[in-house]
Amino acid sequence: MRKRLIVSAASALSLFLAVPASASGFQPGADGVGDPYLPTAGNGGYRVSHYDIRLKYQPTTDELEGTTTILATTTENLSRFNLDFVLKVSEVLVNGRPATFATSGDQELEITPARPLPKGTPVTVVVRYKDVPSAATLYDYSAWHRTPDGGVVSGEPYGSTWWFPNNDHPSNKATYDVSVMVPNGTQVVSNGVLTSTTSQAGWTRFNWRENKPQATYLTTLAIGKFDITQDTSSKGVPIYNAYSKDLGEDAAAARASVERTGELVDWLSDYFGAYPFSSVGGLVPNIPSSGALETQTRIVYGPGLFADGSNTSVVVHELAHQWYGDSVSLSRWSDIWLNEGFAEYAQFLWSEHENEGTAQELADYAYARYPADHVFWTVKPGDPGVDHLFAWPVYLRGAMALQALRNTVGDETFFRILKGWPTERRYGNATVQDFQAFAERLSGRSLADVFTTWLFTLGKPAVGPVPNAAAAATARPSEGALPAEPKSWKKIQDANSVHAGWK
Ligand code: TRP
Ligand code: ZN
């Protein structure tokens, strides 16, 4: 009894004397979630469940102003915490009380609330801001592209920090309300469903909502003058597409491709299971880009993708990401193969469907095409390094890895894995190791050889992803001429411009 009293008196004393926050058990949240590739991406100490983004944008000046309200829950006792953001902030409230804030590092907004935040409690953070997003840079780059009639954001791994403060890492997905006011005659496109528009005194407000968990980099915003098309796929998925009115020569091919979204999303759902979201569509802004980004439900396509005519391969790739990347998301950026290997393999499957070369023919051709000393074999798709996240080998060798898996487990099991994974892991996060464990469970065998050889070993594997042991015994990299180029090869290779320099 006596001992207990002494102990409690001592701890009470230390509470009163505890000047540094850490001594009282309240500490600053980390400036990153601990990603091995991007140490300051996201932040420690809390998880966001919802973003309410309420903005006003003036296309003539590129001024963006407004308020983002963040609903979060602490995971630690916090004396302060960070958000990721690159625009200028005017005011921050935490749980309704003014908080002090400062910027640090490259994209860090450090917020010190009036009262420390105990672990496991809900927190509301309101951030008010006004800035010119096209002028804000992070690592000498801007993901905000100004256009003659507005602007569009598109960036991976960083994009969202140009328009709302956030916990910028795919391991913290949240739901979103995006509400943006623009001058009458200008439109706003974002993720999910347009729930309403209201007009007042020369301005129109567009209210968008995504009610399924969404990673920050998959959140998009486009402002400008668009032609809108709406439809419903045969399987009932609502489609909303937007094309800049200024696409010029690329307009017809862009529409010929993106208008096939409904047909292609239904086709992919035969392989990957039911489409996970409540809307789908493409957005083709007037930006000088030949890249595409799989922003959730509303894919951003650079018009340059359609400069040589229609490009269904890129539409299939980006739609495949809705399952692989958007619904099932990365836990760490080093797991990028879970996104890109599968989206590329979907292009193989589309080629097979179109009778333009089977997945096996494409894998054989790719294997023969790159000699052992080619730069192609210098990246491990399962751990490519931060500088090679989107390098061609992550995509193509990544797809070859899936063909090797298919040959190892057989078609029946392979297609059960392809459909089972996004079903079992829907709306979640995962690692490559989780996927391997899942494939091993469904196939009832160790797959360490396939994963090690195709994802985690530098250099050209001794044999290609050949169908069986007999074929493996005869296949040698030095033997044989390059097989005939599959009809779809160039379409697959050129579907997206992010890989220049690797081919
Ligand atoms: N994830 C995109 C794709 O393969 C490629 C990509 C990476 C990208 N970084 C980007 C596209 C930045 C646009 C902007 O589909
Ligand atoms: Zn991709």
Side-chain angles (χ1 to χ4, degrees):
M1 192 64 192
R2 184 151 182 203
K3 200 171 172 197
R4 220 159 98 203
L5 268 174
I6 292 170
V7 169
S8 61
S11 55
L13 194 68
S14 76
L15 245 171
F16 285 115
L17 298 177
V19 181
S22 61
S24 63
F26 286 84
Q27 294 187 343
D31 63 358
V33 296
D35 189 281
Y37 284 8
L38 303 174
T40 61
N43 306 288
Y46 64 92
R47 290 183 63 84
V48 176
S49 58
H50 186 77
Y51 293 94
D52 183 275
I53 305 170
R54 197 172 170 86
L55 305 172
K56 179 179 183 181
Y57 181 77
Q58 174 53 266
T60 55
T61 57
D62 193 39
E63 269 182 318
L64 185 69
E65 66 176 296
T67 305
T68 290
T69 302
I70 296 172
L71 306 184
T73 302
T74 51
T75 56
E76 296 165 16
N77 287 326
L78 291 173
S79 57
R80 63 173 167 81
F81 63 92
N82 285 15
L83 290 170
D84 299 309
F85 200 38
V86 295
L87 302 187
K88 221 173 287 140
V89 170
S90 56
E91 186 184 12
V92 179
L93 304 177
V94 177
N95 293 336
R97 292 191 172 79
T100 57
F101 58 93
T103 54
S104 73
D106 295 302
Q107 77 262 44
E108 303 297 323
L109 177 67
E110 282 183 12
I111 298 172
T112 306
R115 297 177 182 185
L117 306 170
K119 175 179 174 170
T121 54
V123 183
T124 305
V125 186
V126 175
V127 181
R128 285 190 227 291
Y129 49 99
K130 176 176 181 172
D131 208 341
V132 175
S134 60
T137 57
L138 176 62
Y139 310 125
D140 296 325
Y141 150 90
S142 175
W144 181 273
H145 310 274
R146 202 176 168 185
T147 63
D149 54 357
V152 59
V153 69
S154 158
E156 181 188 6
Y158 299 115
S160 52
T161 52
W162 278 269
W163 64 288
F164 64 97
N166 64 92
N167 190 27
D168 202 5
H169 195 272
S171 59
N172 184 186
K173 301 201 280 188
T175 53
Y176 286 77
D177 276 297
V178 173
S179 171
V180 182
M181 192 160 93
V182 290
N184 285 349
T186 296
Q187 290 140 297
V188 178
V189 181
S190 185
N191 312 86
V193 175
L194 179 63
T195 57
S196 62
T197 59
T198 56
S199 287
Q200 195 191 344
W203 293 78
T204 305
R205 180 174 286 286
F206 292 75
N207 299 302
W208 288 89
R209 170 169 292 171
E210 174 51 52
N211 63 359
K212 292 289 188 285
Q214 175 170 282
T216 46
Y217 80 97
L218 297 171
T219 308
T220 198
L221 175 67
I223 294 159
K225 298 197 168 146
F226 301 105
D227 290 321
I228 308 292
T229 64
Q230 286 184 266
D231 201 354
T232 304
S233 80
S234 302
K235 290 187 182 174
V237 184
I239 304 167
Y240 186 107
N241 297 314
Y243 306 87
S244 165
K245 288 186 183 291
D246 266 349
L247 293 180
E249 291 186 341
D250 300 330
R255 281 173 174 256
S257 314
V258 178
E259 287 300 306
R260 293 185 67 175
T261 293
E263 166 204 345
L264 296 173
V265 85
D266 285 354
W267 176 75
L268 280 169
S269 69
D270 289 341
Y271 289 96
F272 300 156
Y275 179 71
F277 305 119
S278 48
S279 176
V280 72
L283 158 64
V284 192
N286 177 23
I287 53 174
S289 158
S290 312
L293 187 63
E294 63 268 26
T295 32
Q296 188 159 312
T297 71
R298 199 119 302 104
I299 295 155
V300 179
Y301 297 99
L305 291 161
F306 310 107
D308 298 329
S310 78
N311 184 349
T312 48
S313 204
V314 74
V315 179
V316 166
H317 179 111
E318 304 308 331
L319 287 172
H321 276 309
Q322 303 303 309
W323 285 263
Y324 283 93
D326 296 9
S327 172
V328 187
S329 303
L330 306 177
S331 296
R332 317 165 294 207
W333 282 104
S334 50
D335 292 314
I336 189 70
W337 171 75
L338 286 178
N339 290 6
E340 301 304 348
F342 291 77
E344 198 71 13
Y345 197 76
Q347 295 172 267
F348 281 22
L349 294 173
W350 180 240
S351 166
E352 207 163 283
H353 174 266
E354 294 288 275
N355 291 316
E356 295 187 341
T358 63
Q360 184 62 46
E361 284 164 350
L362 286 158
D364 285 344
Y365 181 76
Y367 183 77
R369 190 174 197 274
Y370 298 106
D373 60 356
H374 195 279
V375 64
F376 181 77
W377 303 108
T378 63
V379 170
K380 293 180 278 187
D383 189 12
V386 64
D387 295 335
H388 295 142
L389 273 174
F390 305 107
W392 182 227
V394 173
Y395 289 63
L396 184 62
R397 184 173 169 171
M400 293 162 81
L402 286 167
Q403 186 63 23
L405 175 65
R406 180 173 170 179
N407 289 331
T408 305
V409 301
D411 276 16
E412 194 266 331
T413 303
F414 177 74
F415 287 110
R416 269 202 298 129
I417 293 168
L418 267 198
K419 189 182 282 190
W421 174 254
T423 307
E424 183 162 305
R425 294 290 185 138
R426 183 177 291 203
Y427 310 134
N429 292 85
T431 64
V432 175
Q433 288 70 26
D434 293 332
F435 179 79
Q436 182 180 331
F438 179 80
E440 289 179 335
R441 172 148 65 79
L442 265 62
S443 63
R445 53 167 292 173
S446 166
L447 296 166
D449 275 1
V450 195
F451 280 81
T452 305
T453 303
W454 284 94
L455 298 182
F456 293 104
T457 306
L458 285 177
K460 185 169 179 170
V463 284
V466 288
N468 56 53
T474 55
R476 289 290 175 273
S478 53
E479 285 171 16
L482 190 62
E485 183 178 302
K487 196 167 171 222
S488 61
W489 173 257
K490 285 219 163 52
K491 295 186 200 178
I492 289 173
Q493 181 188 252
D494 299 337
N496 201 332
S497 72
V498 293
H499 324 292
W502 285 92
K503 294 160 180 171

